Amino acid sequence: MSVKKKPLVVVTRKLPDSIETRMRELFDARLNLDDTPLTPEQIADAVRSADILVPTVTDEITEELLKQPDCKLKLIANFGNGVDNIDVAAAHARGITVTNTPKVLTEDTADMTMALILAVPRRLIEGASILTEGKNWPGWSPTWMLGHRIGGKRLGIIGMGRIGQAVARRARAFGLQIHYHNRRPVAPRIADELGATYWESLDQMLARMDIISVNCPHTPATFHLVSARRLKLIRKDAYIVNTARGEVIDEETLIKLIETGEIGGAGLDVYEHEPAINPKLVRLAKAGKVALLPHMGSATIEGRVEMGEKVIINIRTFLDNHKPPDRVLPSML
């Protein structure tokens, strides 16, 4: 009796050991054990050779790649919630199913967002560097390293999805007043629970907030949603935090406004051209004007394992000729 051939699954980055072990058991898995990002040529080869591709946010799966005449992909099982790295419409047009890993990173990302909301006004990273970088600390003083109180301030959340709501719950516990802008208001019961005020006009909200948190996905509609014009609406003593996608903010204008004192500061975990970081941001960080993190908002062991488990479930469901639970359609974006 012939043994059914396992599908070839190409995984573009190193995943948790338990996930890679399970993938080897279930599939003909081609892993990336040294975690070196694949070149465009290597991704093109994977598209031509694999039945299933497991990319991450760092891999651009373009229409050009998917239009290769010898493309044999049947499923793109993205290891990540956002799918802005994939041309979903092009995949759908070629009959390639796309899935993602939603709902597992909400709490981790919200935790990191809240950490930055606290770190920037209270100058936590700047203060810590005094002790770790050989600077002179003269001891406690009534007027040294003064930041700003968090309680009672107005927090404006851009994007009130799962992560935005989780941020709001944390922020409310710290005494912040919750405001938000979204494509549509959240359900009344959620608004009541969070004590949240809805702003249909993003411009009007930005002009009135003490702290702004970006928690919306990156789509063509949200590219530079926080544009140069809108950044200039933000108050001089306000702060902006971004743990979503760097492309949502006009980064160059943000830098200029912080440099000139027209925005109080920023806490950033994502960047417009990452992994490249604008040297001006680094200088601002050294001057204590911004807090910078290396895209680690969702970086927990538990989160990464749950993401991998979702990828495996989506693949197995697809191979069983059923609709994967986390299928992404162009109409959803």
Side-chain angles (χ1 to χ4, degrees), residues 12 48 57 64 81 106 154 166 168 327:
T12 65
R48 291 191 298 267
V57 66
E64 182 181 2
N81 184 26
T106 300
R154 293 182 294 270
R327 188 182 182 192

Side-chain angles (χ1 to χ4, degrees), residues 157-161 163-164 181-182 213-219 222-223 225-226 242-245 248:
I157 298 173
I158 302 175
M160 199 63 149
I163 294 174
H181 169 78
N182 207 39
S213 178
V214 178
N215 297 107
C216 62
H218 173 225
T219 68
T222 62
F223 176 77
L225 176 67
V226 186
N242 188 7
T243 56
R245 286 289 188 268
V248 177

Side-chain angles (χ1 to χ4, degrees), residues 308-325:
E309 290 171 346
K310 271 189 170 286
V311 168
I312 290 173
I313 289 170
N314 282 318
I315 294 174
R316 295 192 70 182
T317 306
F318 176 81
L319 293 174
D320 288 339
N321 295 316
H322 297 296
K323 186 182 298 183

Side-chain angles (χ1 to χ4, degrees), residues 265-283:
L268 305 175
D269 185 46
V270 290
Y271 308 91
E272 188 168 351
H273 305 291
E274 64 179 76
I277 306 298
N278 192 315
K280 296 176 184 177
L281 278 176
V282 177
R283 288 198 292 270

Side-chain angles (χ1 to χ4, degrees), residues 122-164:
R122 292 302 307 272
R123 303 172 68 179
L124 296 187
I125 294 177
E126 185 185 359
S129 70
I130 299 294
L131 303 179
T132 59
E133 296 181 7
K135 301 175 184 178
N136 179 45
W137 179 44
W140 182 87
S141 164
T143 57
W144 186 70
M145 286 297 292
L146 298 182
H148 287 279
R149 180 178 293 165
I150 300 296
K153 297 297 191 296
R154 293 182 294 270
L155 172 66
I157 298 173
I158 302 175
M160 199 63 149
R162 288 186 296 270
I163 294 174

Side-chain angles (χ1 to χ4, degrees), residues 16 18-19 79 101-106 108 300-313 326:
S18 61
I19 299 302
F79 185 87
T101 59
K103 302 180 182 179
V104 298
L105 302 178
T106 300
D108 298 329
T300 67
I301 295 170
E302 296 86 350
R304 295 290 187 253
V305 169
E306 287 183 32
M307 289 170 70
E309 290 171 346
K310 271 189 170 286
V311 168
I312 290 173
I313 289 170
D326 302 310

Side-chain angles (χ1 to χ4, degrees), residues 54-99:
V54 181
T56 69
V57 66
T58 62
D59 306 303
E60 292 292 328
I61 312 302
T62 63
E63 181 180 16
E64 182 181 2
L65 280 173
L66 300 176
K67 278 188 173 180
Q68 295 179 94
D70 48 356
C71 170
K72 62 176 294 187
L73 276 184
K74 301 178 182 66
L75 171 66
I76 301 172
N78 199 47
F79 185 87
N81 184 26
V83 291
D84 48 307
N85 57 311
I86 302 168
D87 192 325
V88 177
H92 184 71
R94 291 189 62 89
I96 302 170
T97 300
V98 177
T99 62

